[in-house]
Structure formats: structure tokens, C-alpha cells
Amino acid sequence: MPVREVIHIDEEKCDGCGDCVVACEEGAIRIIDGKARLISDKYCDGFGNCLGECPQGAITIERREAVDFDEEAVKRHLARNVAVAQPQPSACPAPPATGGCPGAAMRQMHPAAVTAAATEGSAIPSQLGQWPVQLMLVPPHAPYLAGADLLICADCVPFAVPDFHTRYLRGRAVLVGCPKLDDLPFYYEKLKEIFAQARPRRITVLRMEVPCCGGISSAVARARDEMVPVTPLEIHTVGIQGGMIEETIPVVVDSHERMRSS
């Protein structure tokens, strides 16, 4: 077996944030049991693009015995990832005559205004303006994304923000996902496509304070830097027990120096 350079991930230092997953263009890294892991030596080219993206310094380059980097295997691996991440129509009930899953059919709603009387009582109207909301399901050409004030939200956030509808959702198009359970490289590629087509006027990310949730903000920031670098972007971190932990605003497009604290 040849001796060559591949990455090494220190599990003691790794907090499972997922930044390296997005940075690895070969899809060689995944979050497994809360830790970043190299899934196969043949997918790692040894260049170390992921090193600068690890906030914990958990990734290094080591020289050891490893199978050769296989570019064709990487292409097949990435193609499989995209195919698996795509929504499967067969899981849906019988589709309408127009085709597709009826539960994922696009709808654009017009939420009622929130009045002072409603905020004092229990009948606060929903501020959801579109369907579907899952990032996996929303097509990049959806009309409600075009020029939108776009909210990209980790799916745990609404449970920790009691005024989520009035504080964040009102007047925004929303995309929801879980960076720990879903496919981050697929998110990254789809977000690039959405940004290129929709050209949102503003992007807000809501993530939880847990490290694995950092993957969604990293994917959004990198996709925005590539496709719409002048679009304003805010990243808000929500505490598990509620309340805002941190708000950050990217001020440069360089992916190694993206954000400053506001």
C-alpha cells in the first residue's frame, strides 16, 4: 500500500460543528455519532482544504499508508449522495394527475396581520407564507424565493423561540433543515442554485447553539460568498433554553475570514 498524505481528525478536539463537511468538495467527511470522520481514504486528496475551516483545530495532515486517491470513485460517491438526498416521490401517497407528491405541491399564502388584540390572547395567526418549507423539497425556481427576504432555519429553532412567527417568520420566505441529520454537501449545492436563481435581497440564518448546528450557517455562508457575495447575511445563534446567544454578520467574501461579531 502506498504512503501518502491524508487528513487526520482528532476526535477529542472535534465538536461536530460540520464546517469541514461543507469544505470538503470530495465528500470525504461526514458527521457520525456527533464527530467528524473520514469515511474513506480513497475520497481524500490530501490537499487539506478542510483544515482552515475547523474552528477547533481538530484536523491535521498526516503521512501514512493509504489507498490512492480515486477521482472516479469520488464522482460516483458525490452522485450517490445527491441521489439519496433528493426527495423520493414513491414515499408519497397517490399523486394528483399533474404528477409529483401532493404534500410537496407549491403554495403561496397571504398571512393575516398580527393585531395587538391577537398578541395579548392565544389566537395569534400563522405568519407562514409558503409551502413547502423543507430545504430538501423547495425548488430553486419557487416564485416566493425570487428577491425574497430569506430565512434559513435549523428545524429545532422554532421550539426555542416562542415568538418565532412574529419575530422572524413574518414577511420572509423560509427554508428549514437539520445539518446533523440531512446531507450538508447537498444543502451547499442546492443553496448555491437557489441563490443564483432567486437572488434574495437579504438572508438570515437561525441556528441553535449546539456545535453540529454550525453546519447550516457554514453552508449558507459559503454558498452566499460564491453566488451572491453582496447580499446582506445575518447569522443568529439561539440558546437551547431560549434567548439569543450571538449575532454575526459576514463582512468579507473570503471564506477563512467571514464574520465579525455585531
Side-chain angles (χ1 to χ4, degrees):
M1 187 177 294
V3 175
R4 68 180 186 92
E5 292 184 338
V6 292
I7 66 163
H8 170 73
I9 303 173
D10 186 334
E11 291 191 8
E12 294 297 320
K13 293 181 179 179
C14 176
D15 62 6
C17 73
D19 285 2
C20 58
V21 177
V22 179
C24 180
E25 296 181 0
E26 291 74 30
I29 306 174
R30 285 184 184 166
I31 302 299
I32 301 174
D33 297 329
K35 298 288 184 178
R37 302 181 192 277
L38 176 63
I39 58 174
S40 176
D41 290 345
K42 67 181 178 182
Y43 298 148
C44 178
D45 58 15
F47 291 162
N49 290 342
C50 52
L51 268 68
E53 299 299 326
C54 180
Q56 303 301 323
I59 304 177
T60 54
I61 296 291
E62 65 177 1
R63 190 170 180 83
R64 61 171 173 81
E65 288 189 347
V67 297
D68 286 330
F69 173 65
D70 189 335
E71 188 172 354
E72 291 303 315
V74 168
K75 291 178 181 178
R76 294 192 297 271
H77 168 61
L78 294 175
R80 284 195 300 271
N81 284 349
V82 172
V84 169
Q86 293 283 6
Q88 302 299 315
S90 60
C92 297
T98 54
C101 174
M106 283 194 296
R107 305 179 193 178
Q108 192 160 0
M109 290 88 80
H110 302 283
V114 178
T115 65
T119 59
E120 292 174 1
S122 58
I124 300 176
S126 169
Q127 295 303 299
L128 182 63
Q130 106 265 344
W131 187 264
V133 298
Q134 286 289 337
L135 179 54
M136 288 290 188
L137 298 177
V138 174
H141 64 272
Y144 47 77
L145 296 180
D149 186 347
L150 185 58
L151 177 66
I152 301 174
C153 177
D155 55 9
C156 294
V157 166
F159 296 97
V161 180
D163 56 348
F164 174 77
H165 276 246
T166 54
R167 185 175 182 182
Y168 287 110
L169 188 56
R170 181 169 53 191
R172 290 185 168 115
V174 62
L175 300 173
V176 178
C178 177
K180 184 175 179 66
L181 301 180
D182 295 337
D183 190 297
L184 270 177
F186 175 79
Y187 273 4
Y188 170 59
E189 294 300 329
K190 186 164 188 180
L191 286 166
K192 286 200 298 182
E193 189 175 358
I194 288 173
F195 293 164
Q197 291 197 37
R199 315 299 292 187
R201 68 176 182 272
R202 185 181 184 86
I203 304 167
T204 303
V205 178
L206 291 180
R207 54 157 293 187
M208 296 299 296
E209 65 175 310
V210 293
C212 60
C213 210
I216 197 165
S217 53
S218 177
V220 172
R222 288 175 64 87
R224 172 265 197 176
D225 287 356
E226 288 192 41
M227 309 309 295
V228 286
V230 299
T231 300
L233 168 63
E234 293 186 9
I235 299 174
H236 297 192
T237 302
V238 178
I240 293 176
Q241 295 183 328
M244 199 60 57
I245 302 298
E246 183 182 10
E247 298 182 15
T248 54
I249 304 174
V251 293
V252 291
V253 299
D254 186 292
S255 61
H256 295 291
E257 193 182 0
R258 272 201 291 271
M259 295 181 292
R260 66 172 171 80
S261 296
S262 64

